[in-house]
Amino acid sequence: MMAPVSLLPESAPFSDEQRAWLDGFLSGWLGIQDQGGGLSVMDAIPHVEEEEVEEEDHPWHDPAIEMEERLEMAKDRPVERQLMAAMAQLDCGSCGYDCQRYAEAIVNGEEKSLKLCSPGGSATAKKLKELVSLNVGSVGAANGKSSATNGNGTATNGNGKAAEQGYSRTNPFPAKIAAIRNLNGTESAKRTSHVEIDLSGSGITYEVGDSLGVYPTNCSELVTEIINELRATGDESVSVDGKSVSLVEALTDHYCLTEITEELLTAMISKGGNLSEAKLLEHYIDDDEDISGWDVLDLLRQFSSAKLTAEELVYSLSPMKPRLYSISSSLKAHPNQVHLTVGRVGWEFRNRIRKGVASTMFSDRMAIGSTVRVFVHRSHGFTVPEDPHAKMIMVGPGTGIAPFRAFLQERQARKASGENWLFFGDQKASCDFLYRDELESLRESGLLGQLDVAFSRDQQEKVYVQDRMRERGAELWKWLNSGAHFFVCGDAKRMAVDVDRTLKEIACEHGGLSEADATAFLSRLAKEKRYCRDVY
């Protein structure tokens, strides 16, 4: 009898046990029964002509649809698509992935944290945990267990060796900051960092519409407070993927301090000296609603009877995750550079000032010459039209201007003749008109044919970009009806939903469509890649 045929290549990095499980799974999925006849891998896998392969439809991938409706749409799909449907559908990058990749990373064992979808909050985390529990045999099976990820965000194999196949999410490039400045005026309530990053020597390329993945570092004040809670010095030696580093370096560069993991709760239960505190911590493992929004420091302070060592704390933390930012430059206009437009995030919670990890890194802790670890995340469709004659409408309030600055640079470099129309909005024209000089220069040159702005706090009644769209509704409809491409970038839960609603109103009022026909019209534009959104 011939040896059983494996459907996996010999180079696949699996143990004999994992290989046997996967061969059985794939054989069952493909309907193969090996009876010792020497079936080849090519015979086993059905041949599919290239033209028969269609792009998978994700009808639930719309932030305007409620979670339960999205889950209903995905109920008959594989578990990774059900997990995807439970997420916020923003592709915002706060988890370090887009929604589809995050779901797939959970299933293949690459990612073990179920709490990374910050826009989805506790509702998404609970649903992910429920779905994973129901499908425990399918989740993480490809690797047998969750793969290790070191504190640099670098995926490792069983030997702890980093992948060295070009710069990527698992192997980020250590780039230098070439320039950084605040785009807002002194009277502004905001701080928006324009960041120029040097890619020289990396070989990294990108297209306009792509995002840049950034691995941030933690605020030194937060790190110091956590070290104080441990009654440590920061000089203690801890292990990060087999390498010995100081506690302060581990907490600054390698680990997430905003996520409370199940491992951390379990460690604190085991080291606690207070029974009531231990019972509460046990409760939070099953239901963490009461500690939603807490970070590691909150937990250490609230449950001070748990005396963790530096090594125990580090072992229970999740690795630092990258953030994705829309690229605000064209490589044709700025060779060997990539630009970002990053709004500083800060808020008060439980009598403490909280800081967006990456946004405050750029605004508060970065300077020219500082190093930041980066990689490119492809957009897959959110980019300038291939046709240089096509008209382009862009709606990007606030930092949503980022990709459209890149689009305009790209159209200028390509000498594209298509007309360009931008809607921009923010709070005050005097101090929040991001890239004002650039945009007005492009308008004077004729590249930016139309520029409509809305500054919500410059008059008693607030005015937003969707209000400007309504004012220009007749011409907007004319452009859309004549083949224009429509792009939106910015806040998904409010702005993008309002813009979508306004587009439907314009289609009804100026196109004479019914509400159902207007919805179908926008769906058709989306399928034709003429209605594209980059929302967060």
Side-chain angles (χ1 to χ4, degrees), residues 200-221:
S200 297
S202 68
I204 291 175
T205 61
Y206 62 87
E207 300 295 331
V208 296
D210 289 346
S211 297
L212 190 74
V214 173
Y215 280 97
T217 56
N218 286 307
C219 171
S220 60
E221 288 87 350

Side-chain angles (χ1 to χ4, degrees), residues 382-395:
F382 187 85
T383 191
V384 293
E386 290 185 13
D387 181 0
H389 306 293
K391 294 181 177 180
M392 191 168 67
I393 304 166
M394 301 159 285
V395 180

Side-chain angles (χ1 to χ4, degrees), residues 54-130:
E54 296 182 1
E55 184 176 345
E56 184 181 356
D57 182 29
H58 299 148
W60 57 83
H61 196 43
D62 183 344
I65 301 174
E66 294 297 325
M67 183 198 288
E68 290 307 316
E69 185 178 349
R70 298 197 306 263
L71 289 167
E72 180 66 22
M73 292 176 174
K75 67 177 183 181
D76 296 324
R77 301 288 184 95
V79 60
E80 60 266 30
R81 298 300 178 248
Q82 295 177 46
L83 292 172
M84 177 186 174
M87 296 168 188
Q89 311 308 307
L90 306 186
D91 284 345
C92 60
S94 62
C95 61
Y97 310 85
D98 56 29
C99 298
Q100 180 177 338
R101 277 284 298 120
Y102 180 28
E104 291 170 351
I106 292 171
V107 172
N108 67 29
E110 178 184 341
E111 180 57 69
K112 62 180 180 179
S113 176
L114 306 179
K115 300 180 180 180
L116 302 183
C117 183
S118 55
S122 59
T124 288
K126 283 183 178 180
K127 184 56 67 173
L128 294 180
K129 187 174 183 179
E130 176 186 325

